[in-house]
């Protein structure tokens, strides 16, 4: 069996360099690869292109990379709760490609499945479709969207085994499964790493064939992006 387990996040990010394109799982702050992001901050790699649904918040998640000006381009579906992301975008310090959320997911999945591109009706007739090929199918217009090309995909799963099989938990499932196998190297951090055979095969969401490196992460904060509580009556 191919060895996929690495000792820690430092070993997992071997080969990361300036100017690379990264995919990062998560939705808001749910299911983000906290250990990988912290290591990218420590490594201080720059001129990055990051593909992620959004960019965390000012002081957590991808917001930490934005604060240090490590990201040159964000490919996202929305700005979210990150004021620094908004400031850099409006001041044109940061190149931003905003993509309909379903299209973002589909382009990840196209890369995962080996398709060079896919057609979607989302964005036809808007700025999203400018300078892109369009085509009519059964009387409806579609936009050709290309699969993403990334050097690394950083993924967070709840539980995994040393063969790379993964289980995601709750809303942390979000974009993470779609990014597995969608880059040249998929790095997965898990809360619990077990021996092959310990996971129930019926519960596995992503098989190990899509994973190159896996490690057990540490010190997860799991922050809540916007806490809403009931008023005391």
């Amino acid at each position: 069996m191919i060895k996929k387990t690495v000792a820690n996040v430092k070993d997992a990010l071997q080969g990361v360099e300036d100017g690379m394109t990264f995919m990062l799982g998560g939705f808001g702050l749910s299911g983000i690869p906290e250990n990988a992001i912290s290591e990218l901050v420590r490594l201080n790699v720059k001129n990055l292109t990051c593909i992620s649904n959004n960019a965390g918040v000012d002081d957590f998640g991808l917001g930490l990379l934005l604060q240090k000006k490590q990201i040159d381009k964000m490919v996202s579906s929305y700005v979210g709760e990150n004021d620094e992301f908004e400031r850099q975008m409006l001041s044109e310090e940061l190149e931003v490609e905003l993509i309909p959320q379903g299209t973002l997911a589909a382009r990840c999945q196209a890369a995962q499945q080996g398709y060079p591109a896919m057609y979607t009706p989302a964005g036809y007739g808007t700025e999203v479709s400018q300078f892109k090929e369009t085509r009519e199918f059964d009387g409806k217009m579609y936009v050709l969207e290309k699969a993403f090309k990334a050097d690394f995909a950083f993924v967070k799963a709840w539980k995994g085994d040393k063969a790379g099989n993964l289980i995601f938990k709750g809303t942390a499932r979000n974009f993470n499964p779609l990014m597995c196998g969608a880059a040249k190297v998929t790095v997965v951090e898990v809360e619990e790493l077990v021996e092959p055979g310990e996971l129930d095969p019926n519960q596995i969401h992503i098989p190990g064939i899509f994973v190159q490196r896996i490690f057990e992460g540490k010190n997860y904060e799991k922050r809540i992006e916007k806490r809403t509580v009931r008023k005391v009556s």
Side-chain angles (χ1 to χ4, degrees):
M1 185 176 68
I2 298 173
K3 179 177 171 56
K4 300 185 178 186
T5 308
V6 293
N8 50 48
V9 67
K10 183 177 180 180
D11 291 345
L13 268 63
Q14 288 291 322
V16 165
E17 298 176 357
D18 292 349
M20 283 188 164
T21 297
F22 299 148
M23 288 180 165
L24 298 105
F27 187 104
L29 298 182
S30 177
I32 63 172
E34 294 182 31
N35 285 215
I37 291 171
S38 295
E39 181 65 9
L40 290 172
V41 172
R42 189 192 71 79
L43 291 171
N44 199 34
V45 285
K46 296 184 180 296
N47 309 122
L48 304 176
T49 296
C50 291
I51 301 165
S52 183
N53 183 62
N54 59 303
V57 293
D58 290 312
D59 62 346
F60 196 60
L62 284 178
L64 298 172
L65 296 176
L66 285 171
Q67 282 186 350
K68 292 185 66 179
K69 305 291 182 68
Q70 293 176 249
I71 302 175
D72 279 0
K73 180 178 180 179
M74 279 296 308
V75 181
S76 303
S77 69
Y78 76 114
V79 174
E81 303 293 323
N82 194 319
D83 292 334
E84 180 62 15
F85 185 0
E86 180 183 20
R87 188 196 67 77
Q88 289 188 26
M89 181 178 73
L90 294 177
S91 65
E92 299 184 348
E93 296 173 40
L94 176 71
E95 183 180 354
V96 177
E97 181 180 354
L98 291 176
I99 300 174
Q101 197 168 73
T103 303
L104 184 74
R107 290 175 68 182
C108 291
Q109 193 168 38
Q112 180 191 63
Q113 297 177 353
Y115 299 129
M118 38 73 69
Y119 281 102
T120 174
Y124 176 74
T126 72
E127 289 184 9
V128 171
S129 63
Q130 284 186 344
F131 313 114
K132 294 178 182 176
E133 178 184 331
T134 59
R135 186 172 174 181
E136 181 179 345
F137 292 92
D138 298 323
K140 188 172 183 177
M141 296 302 298
Y142 291 78
V143 182
L144 182 69
E145 295 281 4
K146 294 182 179 179
F148 288 126
K149 293 181 179 180
D151 298 292
F152 282 83
F154 299 114
V155 170
K156 162 73 188 316
W158 171 52
K159 190 180 289 188
D161 66 22
K162 293 180 179 180
N165 300 303
L166 305 175
I167 297 175
F168 300 92
K169 190 174 184 179
T171 54
R173 193 168 174 180
N174 52 62
F175 280 84
N176 281 299
L178 300 177
M179 292 183 174
C180 291
K184 294 176 183 176
V185 178
T186 297
V187 176
V188 181
E189 55 184 83
V190 296
E191 294 180 40
E192 184 179 352
L193 186 62
V194 301
E195 295 294 331
E198 290 188 37
L199 299 180
D200 179 352
N202 294 303
Q203 301 299 315
I204 291 172
H205 296 123
I206 290 291
I209 191 68
F210 290 103
V211 176
Q212 281 72 51
R213 302 174 191 173
I214 187 169
F215 69 98
E216 188 170 279
K218 298 179 179 179
N219 304 319
Y220 287 107
E221 293 188 43
K222 298 185 182 179
R223 292 193 196 177
I224 297 173
E225 187 169 0
K226 183 171 286 190
R227 187 185 298 273
T228 303
V229 296
R230 186 170 55 188
K231 291 183 179 180
V232 178
S233 57

